[in-house]
Amino acid sequence: MTDNIAGKVVVITGASSRMGAAAARYLAAKGASVVLGARRADRIDALAAEIAAAGGKAAAVATDVTKREDLKKLVDTAVETYGRIDVLVNNAGVMPLSPVDRLKIDEWDQMIDVNLKGVLYGIAAALPYMKAQKSGHIINNSSVAGHKLFPGTAVYSATKFAVRALSEGLREEVSPDNIRVTVISPGAVKTELLEHISEKDVQKANRDFVDPIAVPAETFARLVAFAISEPQDVGINEIVFRPTAQGA
Ligand code: NDP
């Protein structure tokens, strides 16, 4: 195992479902110690047990990324259990899409709280350790909708554009501390994300677009692994991927 992944301690938010869970399995199989965060504790406990049964190292901590103290506990647990934190994957996200004039204000708040503030809270929890270690890697999950607008994505895109801005600003600031920052922007991936769109017409339109072309969550896992596996003096700053069939 000479891929720069084995032995690393990787914290992953949103590890109870598709992309986060796929990244956890993939990195654990390559010898990383993974620390899983999400609200659904039963799911991350089961995933940690599955990884351990396969000979890997995993811990799970029930985490709501809208709560600063939860992210601190998640990252602190990684350091207490495995001695350090090498990588934080800020993956948790929600996407209750709707046109702005439907005024789904609670859903706007939720997207800002999870997709943007959750990422900030993760950074706040991990950065002091990484600066002290003089090494680290923060990987943020944005979206193709963080590069362009689609019908109904105004607020979701606002959070995902913000994740890109935050990632680049952070990269510029922490590069002297030997901390790498990567932002990954997925296109359509097979996911539970669409299940939480409350507006049924919007959900149907998105299913019609996504379902025929979506690629598996393991695509994201491979790209996370690629970014980590480059030598420490190489930062993969930005990755955009789509299903080949996704024109938009
Ligand atoms: P899923 O809906 O399958 O997974 C979302 C994950 O986020 C779950 O593990 C969920 O865990 C977690 N999550 C949501 N809210 C919170 C919270 N408050 N605290 C902690 N965890 C939370 O979707 P994906 O795997 O697709 O989503 C992963 C990321 O990928 C998201 O950031 C999404 O925006 C992004 N993305 C997805 C695309 C796609 O096509 N699927 C395209 C582009 C980007 P739990 O509910 O247990 O807390």
Side-chain angles (χ1 to χ4, degrees):
M1 291 196 190
T2 55
D3 57 8
N4 203 21
I5 294 174
K8 286 197 163 166
V9 179
V10 183
V11 174
I12 304 170
T13 68
S16 61
S17 184
R18 302 299 170 94
M19 285 196 238
R25 284 193 183 92
Y26 195 84
L27 296 170
K30 287 183 168 292
S33 302
V34 293
V35 182
L36 316 174
R39 292 168 303 177
R40 285 171 287 181
D42 53 336
R43 286 203 187 191
I44 52 175
D45 286 345
L47 180 54
E50 175 198 316
I51 289 169
K57 288 186 183 163
V61 182
T63 305
D64 181 339
V65 300
T66 68
K67 297 184 176 149
R68 290 158 70 165
E69 61 276 15
D70 279 18
L71 276 157
K72 184 160 182 347
K73 186 172 162 213
L74 176 67
V75 170
D76 286 351
T77 300
V79 176
E80 285 156 17
T81 309
Y82 298 115
R84 51 191 289 116
I85 172 173
D86 296 298
V87 185
L88 169 65
V89 184
N90 280 312
N91 164 73
V94 291
M95 192 185 72
L97 303 178
S98 60
V100 174
D101 66 5
R102 295 197 195 171
L103 301 183
K104 308 284 287 193
I105 297 171
D106 289 342
E107 295 182 351
W108 302 350
D109 283 341
Q110 190 197 7
M111 284 189 273
I112 292 165
D113 288 346
V114 176
N115 300 358
L116 178 55
K117 291 174 76 176
V119 173
L120 281 163
Y121 294 161
I123 291 166
L127 202 53
Y129 288 117
M130 292 181 176
K131 284 190 77 135
Q133 291 169 182
K134 285 277 177 212
S135 78
H137 192 169
I138 292 174
I139 301 176
N140 297 328
N141 195 342
S142 177
S143 174
V144 166
H147 292 253
K148 58 184 286 188
L149 279 292
F150 299 85
T153 72
V155 179
Y156 180 72
S157 287
T159 65
K160 293 298 190 175
F161 272 70
V163 168
R164 287 180 51 230
L166 171 63
S167 302
E168 175 57 14
L170 180 68
R171 185 193 70 75
E172 291 176 16
E173 288 185 24
V174 300
S175 53
D177 296 302
N178 192 32
I179 297 170
R180 305 190 289 182
V181 180
T182 303
V183 59
I184 301 181
S185 296
V189 174
K190 289 190 179 66
T191 186
E192 295 178 11
L193 216 52
L194 303 181
E195 292 170 16
H196 308 297
I197 298 178
S198 60
E199 298 291 278
K200 292 304 164 203
D201 58 328
V202 178
Q203 186 183 54
K204 180 178 185 314
N206 276 275
R207 282 203 189 289
D208 290 349
F209 172 65
V210 167
D211 287 351
I213 58 170
V215 292
E218 288 68 26
T219 315
F220 175 75
R222 288 196 304 274
L223 292 167
V224 169
F226 163 66
I228 297 173
S229 64
E230 282 299 295
Q232 182 63 28
D233 61 353
V234 178
I236 302 299
N237 305 137
E238 189 147 15
I239 295 172
V240 183
F241 75 92
R242 293 175 172 83
T244 307
Q246 182 177 339

